[in-house]
Amino acid sequence: MKIENCIRESIAVKKRMLDDVRLIETIDKMSSRAAEILKNKGRILLCGNGGSAADAQHIAAELSGRFSFEREPLDAEALHVNTSYLTAIANDYSYNDVYSRLVKAKGRAGDMLIAISTSGNSQNIINAIHAAKEMNMTVVGMTGQGGGKMKDMVDFLINIPSDETPRVQEAHILTGHIFCLLVEEQIFKPLTD
């Protein structure tokens, strides 16, 4: 019964996503904006904590590698992958600074930051958003239902209609896959056409 309930809950969240016209339009618009940024030699930076860091790395890998067909790589990077940097900044400054410093180092005006936090309240993610906005980067926030503090800070809010962290994270990776598909198709013509 527990397994079936988990599957039912996941399906219910995705059904609410499917019925949310605003959410679908936002995913489409953020994907178009990302494709435009990448076509103009910009980059996509991603950040998150825990499972959201794994999602950030997964999405970056799909963009910089390939998603659904053979094509040239795209400039996308998850900001947590250098553990020496991460631990040094957390120790010497604060864990709240680990992403904002990298946004300042790697980001440029016109780039995109995808900031992932199921609560929308992670201070290191919020600080990264502030840094990106100061640099005139486009910011996407991927959160849970309420959006937390991030909801009023970002250009595109993907707030999954759930407050349960596992369900939100499942929907975030679905959204990430859709995002990668749309970006890839807008930049490259599939080889199967």
Side-chain angles (χ1 to χ4, degrees):
M1 186 59 93
K2 189 165 282 220
I3 294 169
E4 291 90 337
N5 284 341
C6 288
I7 295 169
R8 281 189 197 96
E9 289 168 9
S10 187
I11 290 169
V13 170
K14 292 173 179 81
K15 175 74 168 89
R16 289 194 295 273
M17 290 175 68
L18 187 60
D19 294 338
D20 188 338
V21 173
R22 182 215 49 90
L23 182 62
I24 290 172
E25 288 175 354
T26 302
I27 294 168
D28 188 50
K29 288 177 184 175
M30 74 171 242
S31 301
S32 294
R33 178 71 185 122
E36 179 183 318
I37 287 166
L38 291 163
K39 283 180 192 176
N40 289 316
K41 304 299 181 201
R43 68 174 39 130
I44 309 293
L45 302 177
L46 301 97
C47 60
N49 296 301
S52 296
D55 290 344
Q57 192 167 341
H58 185 153
I59 294 165
E62 301 289 18
L63 291 171
S64 59
R66 69 176 187 90
F67 184 68
S68 63
F69 56 85
E70 291 298 326
R71 44 111 173 135
E72 292 297 310
L74 297 168
D75 194 350
E77 181 177 356
L79 294 177
H80 66 277
V81 297
N82 182 339
T83 55
S84 295
Y85 164 85
L86 195 72
T87 56
I89 298 306
N91 183 63
D92 296 346
Y93 295 89
S94 164
Y95 191 68
N96 290 338
D97 297 326
V98 295
Y99 291 133
S100 58
R101 290 181 65 81
L102 272 179
V103 167
K104 290 175 185 177
K106 295 177 176 285
R108 298 179 301 251
D111 288 347
M112 177 179 277
L113 173 69
I114 299 178
I116 309 173
S117 169
T118 58
S119 68
N121 295 318
S122 299
Q123 193 58 52
N124 61 343
I125 304 298
I126 289 169
N127 290 353
I129 292 170
H130 283 302
K133 296 303 280 181
E134 287 172 6
M135 298 173 68
N136 294 316
M137 293 173 64
T138 298
V139 179
V140 174
M142 294 176 68
T143 71
Q145 187 163 269
K149 295 175 185 174
M150 288 169 53
K151 72 179 173 196
D152 297 320
M153 301 174 65
V154 299
D155 300 298
F156 299 99
L157 179 65
I158 307 299
N159 56 326
I160 301 303
S162 176
D163 291 321
E164 294 182 45
T165 297
R167 303 295 86 83
V168 172
Q169 290 176 333
E170 291 160 6
H172 278 170
I173 204 58
L174 171 65
T175 302
H177 280 167
I178 294 167
F179 169 75
C180 292
L181 176 68
L182 294 175
V183 167
E184 197 174 65
E185 288 183 348
Q186 288 177 56
I187 296 175
F188 304 99
K189 182 177 177 167
L191 297 176
T192 57
D193 283 357

